Amino acid sequence: MIKQIIFDVMGVVFTEGDDVGGLLVPYIQSIKPGVTAEKINELYLAASLGKISSHEFWARAGFEQNAIAETERIYLETSFALDAEFVPFAMALKGRCGIALLSNDVSEWSAYLRKFFQLEHLIGRAFISGDLGFRKPDPRIFFAALEGLRAEPHECIFIDDRTANVEAASKLGIYSCLYDKTRGCNFEQIEKKLP
């Protein structure tokens, strides 16, 4: 019996699947054109593994200390869009199974987005790479989620828009769905698999 549905965030809960290349790099380069995409990716990777804070991320990207908080706020509040189907789907799941998030993200940014988009009342637990120190598809992040949820692999459904992450979860015995609206894997299809 399915007890938990574990959602990836970028490309599933939010519409943009490549938040670094599609959102973060253009945002930073619109303010600091001299910062390369490679540098931004390098800093993001460190922050998403918890090696540097979000504040340090912006500082190393060349932002003045007194501008960091506002720069970050504007990025988080204006760059992201919820998948229109996610909230109704999550609300329909309430009482049927637990809902968790499993995301490669900067800890502070993930927490901010959950609060800003009022997702906290829908989500039981969030497992974020910036908190845990490893990123999908590393099996350790899946084990951490299973342990935190007190669930066996066969009791969970994992939904992600990246093939490597879906394959990694499947190898551990987690029922996994590649979320791709253009190919017919949407929330309606997933709901049909639930008890």
Side-chain angles (χ1 to χ4, degrees):
M1 178 177 170
I2 298 299
K3 294 182 179 178
Q4 297 282 344
I5 297 191
I6 306 169
F7 292 89
D8 171 43
V9 176
M10 301 305 166
V12 179
V13 176
F14 292 105
T15 55
E16 178 61 59
D18 180 8
D19 57 316
V20 180
L23 302 177
L24 185 60
V25 170
Y27 176 74
I28 290 176
Q29 290 183 337
S30 72
I31 305 167
K32 302 274 186 184
V35 184
T36 66
E38 291 77 16
K39 180 68 171 176
I40 296 167
N41 275 283
E42 174 190 314
L43 292 171
Y44 177 82
L45 180 60
S48 72
L49 286 168
K51 294 179 178 179
I52 61 173
S53 68
S54 65
H55 186 89
E56 192 171 353
F57 168 88
W58 296 108
R60 290 191 187 184
F63 289 84
E64 300 294 329
Q65 293 294 325
N66 61 357
I68 287 175
E70 184 66 359
T71 300
E72 182 173 81
R73 183 193 69 76
I74 292 170
Y75 170 64
L76 295 173
E77 293 184 7
T78 65
S79 300
F80 296 86
L82 278 174
D83 184 303
E85 297 175 16
F86 173 73
V87 171
F89 179 54
M91 289 178 71
L93 293 177
K94 291 297 263 184
R96 294 172 67 186
C97 60
I99 300 172
L101 300 180
L102 180 60
S103 181
N104 292 341
D105 202 358
V106 179
S107 177
E108 298 95 332
W109 296 356
S110 178
Y112 192 101
L113 290 170
R114 293 195 305 273
K115 185 173 183 180
F116 182 75
F117 284 94
Q118 301 179 335
L119 298 176
E120 293 169 318
H121 70 285
L122 295 172
I123 308 301
R125 296 286 305 273
F127 302 93
I128 309 302
S129 64
D131 296 321
L132 298 171
F134 26 81
R135 295 167 45 94
K136 295 176 291 178
D138 189 322
R140 291 176 293 178
I141 200 167
F142 295 102
F143 287 130
L146 292 170
E147 183 178 349
L149 295 170
R150 296 181 182 174
E152 296 297 323
H154 66 274
E155 296 173 327
C156 300
I157 294 177
F158 174 63
I159 303 165
D160 200 297
D161 64 322
R162 295 187 182 235
T163 302
N165 298 337
V166 168
E167 290 175 350
S170 294
K171 286 179 183 175
L172 301 177
I174 301 169
Y175 181 81
S176 301
C177 299
L178 181 65
Y179 186 71
D180 183 347
K181 286 177 148 183
T182 64
R183 296 189 179 178
C185 180
N186 54 31
F187 293 131
E188 184 180 323
Q189 293 294 322
I190 293 161
E191 188 170 14
K192 291 177 181 176
K193 302 179 186 303
L194 298 174

